[in-house]
Amino acid sequence: MRQRSTPRDPYVDAYVIGGGPAGLAVAAMLQRRGLRATVLDKDSSVGASWRRHYDRLHLHTPRELSALPGLPIPREMGRWVARDDVATYLERYAAHHDLDVRLGTEVARVDPAGRGWCLTLTDGSTLTAPFAVVATGFNHTPREPDVPGLADWPGRVVLARDYRSGADLSGQDVLVVGTGNTGTEVAVDLAEHSAGRVRLAVRTAPHILRRSRGPYAAQYTGIAVRRLPRGLVDRLAPVIEGLTTPDLTAYGLPRPSTGLLTRVEDDNAIPVQDVGIIDAVRSGAVEPVAALERVDGHEVVLTDGSRLTPDTIVLATGYTAALEPLIGHLGVLDRKGLPVERGGRVARSARGLWYTGFTNPISGMLREMAIDARKIALSVALAKRRRTAELRTGTDRAAPPARSSCTPAAAVGR
């Protein structure tokens, strides 16, 4: 990997915004097709965002289905790769492909410029290229719930992004808010580190699946049903859950009424992979309670009217992509703030701009990133070939994009 303050060459085919797994995979596949790509990332090292996750985090997808294109994950990292090993793998991946990565470089806004794209950095400088790829991440900015009275609560509030280990809260009464994979795993971690009491506030009961049954990982089933009709998957899921996971209704965690694939596609709610939550709930180490409604002085009020006095509240309430400042003005986002077109497709209003890493598929995020990387690289290569041919034949009559303050991008056919 080449870490530079300036690109290795004045001409760049595409800037890739974001140096996580999605961005690195796209850059590697662009390079494989002979295109010049530069990765821009705001952090000081590749894989830095992974190192900021909680200590016990492991991939919920097996090693053999989680590698990026062009470099397998080493066997010594185990089947369920740990947080630090993921970061190490990303560093190796960038070095293996000799990617041009500009660290400490944050992009604030993307605008059309001539026949290409202008990237305005947070320091006010600009970069231009014929093509750009947005890969800033699905889990970019923590979503903080609007809980009345929480700002004035005298106890400790910890965002999931700031949580590291249950050892930091040993002996405390903790309320975990959020029943996704992060919330349930944090609750288990707290219980294993002997927190005084661990309660899990449940607003929407999650689908819970075993991460694996022997050598068979749940992801294989996710891949198998990825393209099946939603209604069929929703009908099959309760059968699979009934055969593989116990009913926790008596413990305050009922089976969900909404279909599994419906939750995934409509709410980006991936099923919880059991890495201890089932046993923790059944043993009483983690106690499901009603959803958090408001805070009243020193007390926390739940939706069923009960009142608690925890020492700490951990908010594991999800993330947002936070793309509005970057590309919201281009008309390419849906009502959820996610790109309308993803993978190898581009929006008609913003040709030459691609997006990857903004889905949370049942078939595995890293696997889909690898697939998208190949699609985008092919799409960019074909777009460059087409533009080059149009320039040479004088048939490039497409209306130019809206004007911007940037210098027009370099000639595509160079």
Side-chain angles (χ1 to χ4, degrees):
M1 177 182 66
R2 303 184 185 183
Q3 299 180 11
R4 298 172 177 266
S5 59
T6 58
R8 66 177 70 172
D9 188 284
Y11 177 74
V12 174
D13 285 300
Y15 282 110
V16 180
I17 308 169
L24 296 177
V26 168
M29 294 301 96
L30 287 170
Q31 187 167 284
R32 178 175 289 183
R33 289 191 172 273
L35 299 166
R36 301 180 186 182
T38 294
V39 178
L40 308 175
D41 192 272
K42 66 180 181 180
D43 279 311
S44 59
S45 63
V46 169
S49 61
W50 276 89
R51 297 192 190 280
R52 290 194 291 268
H53 291 305
Y54 51 93
D55 294 347
R56 69 170 283 148
L57 178 64
H58 287 67
L59 290 181
H60 292 157
T61 54
R63 182 190 68 249
E64 68 269 19
L65 296 177
S66 303
L68 302 180
L71 184 68
I73 297 176
R75 294 182 64 86
E76 60 266 24
M77 290 185 176
R79 193 179 193 203
W80 310 103
V81 185
R83 176 200 67 180
D84 288 348
D85 284 336
V86 173
T88 297
Y89 170 70
L90 295 179
E91 291 174 345
R92 292 183 185 178
Y93 188 85
H96 176 79
H97 291 286
D98 192 26
L99 300 181
D100 185 17
V101 180
R102 293 181 61 180
L103 297 170
T105 306
E106 184 174 3
V107 181
R109 182 182 170 97
V110 178
D111 288 289
R115 298 290 177 183
W117 293 93
C118 166
L119 282 56
T120 302
L121 309 184
T122 52
D123 64 6
S125 62
T126 59
L127 298 169
T128 58
F131 308 108
V133 181
V134 180
T136 49
F138 186 83
N139 297 326
H140 185 276
T141 302
R143 182 184 292 110
E144 298 185 38
D146 184 16
V147 179
L150 183 62
D152 298 322
W153 186 58
R156 181 181 178 185
V157 178
V158 179
L159 293 177
R161 71 173 179 188
D162 300 320
Y163 177 91
R164 294 294 173 268
S165 169
D168 300 331
L169 301 174
S170 179
Q172 293 194 23
D173 185 324
V174 184
L175 176 66
V176 180
V177 180
T179 53
N181 277 291
T182 297
T184 54
E185 192 159 350
V186 165
V188 171
D189 188 57
L190 286 163
E192 291 179 352
H193 282 89
S194 301
R197 188 172 186 179
V198 182
R199 283 174 281 208
L200 182 65
V202 181
R203 183 171 300 279
T204 304
H207 288 273
I208 302 176
L209 299 174
R210 299 287 190 185
R211 185 175 65 175
S212 64
R213 301 288 289 183
Y216 186 82
Q219 187 183 0
Y220 284 105
T221 300
I223 293 171
V225 305
R226 179 79 166 94
R227 304 299 179 186
L228 293 180
R230 176 193 289 195
L232 176 60
V233 177
D234 284 350
R235 289 193 296 272
L236 289 175
V239 177
I240 296 174
E241 290 178 70
L243 293 173
T244 60
T245 60
D247 187 352
L248 301 177
T249 301
Y251 300 92
L253 198 59
R255 296 195 187 278
S257 57
T258 309
L260 186 148
L261 192 55
T262 295
R263 291 283 308 280
V264 172
E265 295 182 346
D266 290 353
D267 303 323
N268 295 314
I270 289 295
V272 167
Q273 302 294 297
D274 174 42
V275 290
I277 188 61
I278 291 176
D279 289 343
V281 169
R282 295 175 79 180
S283 69
V286 173
E287 178 187 351
V289 296
L292 174 60
E293 181 178 87
R294 59 189 172 88
V295 174
D296 182 12
H298 287 73
E299 294 183 317
V300 170
V301 183
L302 306 182
T303 53
D304 64 357
S306 58
R307 290 173 175 260
L308 311 176
T309 55
D311 301 307
T312 300
I313 296 175
V314 178
L315 297 176
T317 47
Y319 291 80
T320 176
L323 289 170
E324 287 79 7
L326 188 70
I327 57 174
H329 55 286
L330 299 176
V332 296
L333 302 180
D334 62 19
R335 60 182 179 82
K336 298 179 182 178
L338 297 172
V340 176
E341 300 291 353
R342 304 162 200 169
R345 303 183 300 274
V346 294
R348 291 183 178 275
S349 61
R351 294 194 179 278
L353 184 65
W354 284 264
Y355 323 87
T356 180
F358 298 105
T359 58
N360 199 18
I362 194 173
S363 51
M365 184 177 285
L366 289 171
R367 177 180 180 272
E368 295 298 325
M369 286 176 182
I371 293 172
D372 280 356
R374 295 185 177 95
K375 290 180 179 179
I376 291 174
L378 174 60
S379 187
V380 174
L382 292 175
K384 179 177 179 179
R385 184 185 304 173
R386 183 170 58 251
R387 289 193 188 183
T388 300
E390 291 172 348
L391 287 170
R392 287 175 177 169
T393 60
T395 59
D396 184 10
R397 299 189 180 90
R403 297 177 64 184
S404 80
S405 59
C406 289
T407 303
V412 177
R414 176 170 172 175

